[in-house]
Amino acid sequence: MRILVCGGAGYIGSHTCLGLIERGHSVVIADSGVNSSPRVIPRLRRLAGVPIPVHRADLRDRAAMTALFATYRFDAVLHFAALKAVGDSCRRPLDYFDNNISGTIVLLQAMRGAGVRRLVFSSSATVYGEPERVPVREDAGLSVMNPYGRTKLVAEQLIGDLCTADPEFRAANLRYFNPVGAHASGLIGEDPCGEPTNLMPYICQVAVGAREKLRVFGGDYPTVDGTGVRDYIHVVDLARAHVDALEYMVRADASVTVNLGTGRGVSVLELVHAFERASGRRIAYEIVGRRAGDAASVYADPSLAHALFGWRAQFDVDAMCRDAWRWQAMNPEGYRTVARREPASSRGRRARIGGSRAVDVV
Ligand code: NAD
Ligand code: WQD
């Protein structure tokens, strides 16, 4: 299939482009660059070994989107293009509504104009709000905790209405839990702007000395060690899930909404210790007060994705930390770094991931 990947230069989109290409699909990227570096593209092309057309386009730019759909005949669209920082969304909700919701509407209109009726949408476990019970199943109640979460829930609802109105439209809403890790090559990974708000990139920056210590938000939750529990999922497992879901959607001619997680809860301190083992570095931390809006424990019941299309996460927390550390050590300043050699602590332990060959950097 020829796939339009909106937001394909970002963290999860870039890994998914590789996953698609490994399974024989061709990829065209549309990305506004609002949260991505142009330096990801040559690395992606090098890893993929095939040309990848890239269009710098904002989804809200109707003319650009119409032109894109007139240039290529797409079989399906993968839609990663959104702003994603929860705190930022509370400070400037209108920008999030505009980028994430208006962008989705213009994309859906362009798809309709071109007769493209297959969509994979990046949703989030945030649509469950503070879940009443864990593990969280797809039929759990939905609620909104912040403007970012609202954009995900609204987008899912818009897509649902479209599926109702157009009996031939098929969509896969993929609710990600906590994506972490990086490609085995160490060439692509997560590159947050400014101070990270998510746990794994913060730990990575402490490990390379860019931050002094991690602040652990809350040590008095009713969890294994008092710290918050989440379901971390390797980004390469997540990328593979997109290809599996897309192929299932086409094969079964069905729409789906599924959780993507490992099903295993991991506490903040368990992740810190796993990262210390993987990197050989000590992660300084201090336990501080709880962060507003955080739940004690959130992890997925991922069995529906397995039942429908056979997907299951393969990588454990040690692999997530090893690959996150390799990326960080080789790129201490993210894509601003001229790639460095692989860290000694992970050399020789590089797995072949998702069928792609690891690439040595000189
Ligand atoms: P990211 O910021 O790395 O990638 C998003 C990409 O979309 C970026 O390259 C950005 O430049 C682009 N983009 C944003 N708005 C755009 C627009 N209007 N037009 C064109 N391009 C635009 O984020 P990510 O972590 O790769 O997340 C991808 C998707 O997954 C997002 O929709 C996010 O909400 C969702 N998600 C992420 C997480 C997470 O923890 N990373 C968890 C759940 C869901
Ligand atoms: C994980 C755990 C924190 C940072 C967020 C979004 C969610 C989704 C994924 C997009 C929690 C603790 C964190 C730190 C810490 N994104 N923590 N110190 O909150 O589960 O989910 O990202 O859809 O919508 O809300 O992830 O990585 O921020 O936090 O102690 O410096 O780490 O309290 O227990 P979260 P996170």
Side-chain angles (χ1 to χ4, degrees):
M1 289 183 270
R2 177 180 281 152
I3 314 296
L4 173 63
V5 184
C6 300
Y11 171 46
I12 304 167
S14 56
H15 288 81
T16 304
C17 285
L18 288 182
L20 287 163
I21 291 164
E22 280 160 8
R23 295 258 284 265
H25 302 294
S26 72
V27 159
V28 175
I29 291 177
D31 199 298
S32 66
V34 65
N35 197 38
S36 56
S37 164
R39 295 193 184 165
V40 71
I41 301 301
R43 293 180 178 206
L44 204 47
R45 287 183 175 140
R46 181 175 156 192
L47 288 167
V50 295
I52 304 175
V54 179
H55 295 260
R56 195 180 178 102
D58 193 305
L59 296 196
R60 292 165 295 176
D61 182 342
R62 195 176 299 276
M65 294 313 288
T66 306
L68 199 55
F69 280 89
T71 306
Y72 303 93
R73 248 224 78 68
F74 295 117
D75 298 295
V77 175
L78 266 59
H79 175 21
F80 297 93
L83 299 173
K84 61 166 181 176
V86 170
D88 189 38
S89 80
C90 298
R91 288 185 287 278
R92 46 184 196 117
L94 285 176
D95 292 341
Y96 276 67
F97 300 155
D98 188 33
N99 192 80
N100 296 4
I101 299 176
S102 307
T104 299
I105 293 171
V106 175
L107 172 65
L108 293 171
Q109 288 170 330
M111 288 175 68
R112 187 182 55 187
V116 179
R117 292 190 168 91
R118 300 286 178 270
L119 176 73
V120 178
F121 175 65
S122 297
S123 189
S124 166
T126 191
V127 299
Y128 297 117
E130 193 159 345
E132 275 171 21
R133 63 182 71 88
V134 286
V136 188
R137 286 162 41 116
E138 290 82 355
D139 57 5
L142 304 180
S143 74
V144 162
M145 304 277 286
N146 50 64
Y148 165 73
R150 188 176 304 282
T151 70
K152 289 292 158 189
L153 190 54
V154 167
E156 275 200 16
Q157 291 166 338
L158 297 177
I159 293 164
D161 286 347
L162 192 56
C163 289
T164 307
D166 178 351
E168 287 181 35
F169 196 92
R170 299 285 177 268
N173 290 312
L174 306 184
R175 295 176 176 162
Y176 316 156
F177 280 67
N178 292 64
V180 295
H183 189 260
S185 63
L187 287 182
I188 58 171
E190 186 171 14
D191 183 13
C193 291
E195 187 171 357
T197 54
N198 291 121
L199 179 60
M200 182 65 105
Y202 209 103
I203 292 176
C204 286
Q205 293 199 4
V206 173
V208 284
R211 311 258 163 213
E212 189 195 335
K213 63 180 170 198
L214 172 73
R215 289 183 309 142
V216 176
F217 299 137
D220 58 352
Y221 285 110
T223 59
V224 58
D225 55 19
T227 66
V229 165
R230 296 292 182 273
D231 188 339
Y232 299 95
I233 171 171
H234 198 299
V235 67
V236 172
D237 274 330
L238 193 58
R240 182 170 46 85
H242 287 74
V243 193
D244 290 346
L246 170 69
E247 292 178 352
Y248 167 79
M249 185 172 67
V250 172
R251 183 174 68 241
D253 193 21
S255 292
V256 290
T257 295
V258 292
N259 289 337
L260 295 177
T262 63
R264 182 168 172 246
V266 172
S267 77
V268 174
L269 289 183
E270 285 173 336
L271 192 68
V272 165
H273 296 319
F275 196 93
E276 289 182 327
R277 286 195 301 276
S279 65
R281 304 258 170 130
R282 202 177 77 78
I283 305 300
Y285 70 83
E286 175 192 10
I287 296 183
V288 301
R290 294 181 179 190
R291 184 172 67 178
D294 271 352
S297 181
V298 184
Y299 56 95
D301 176 341
S303 55
L304 185 59
H306 186 256
L308 291 177
F309 47 84
W311 176 86
R312 191 176 267 153
Q314 290 173 352
F315 295 108
D316 63 10
V317 167
D318 292 332
M320 297 176 210
C321 291
R322 178 194 68 207
D323 292 335
W325 169 238
R326 184 187 296 107
W327 154 254
Q328 187 70 40
M330 287 171 66
N331 306 272
E333 294 172 78
Y335 288 109
R336 291 172 301 287
T337 317
V338 176
R340 296 186 181 179
R341 279 194 176 276
E342 189 180 349
S345 54
S346 66
R347 223 172 278 156
R349 290 159 54 193
R350 189 161 38 186
R352 248 190 88 154
I353 290 189
S356 78
R357 237 173 256 289
V359 171
D360 284 321
V361 180
V362 270

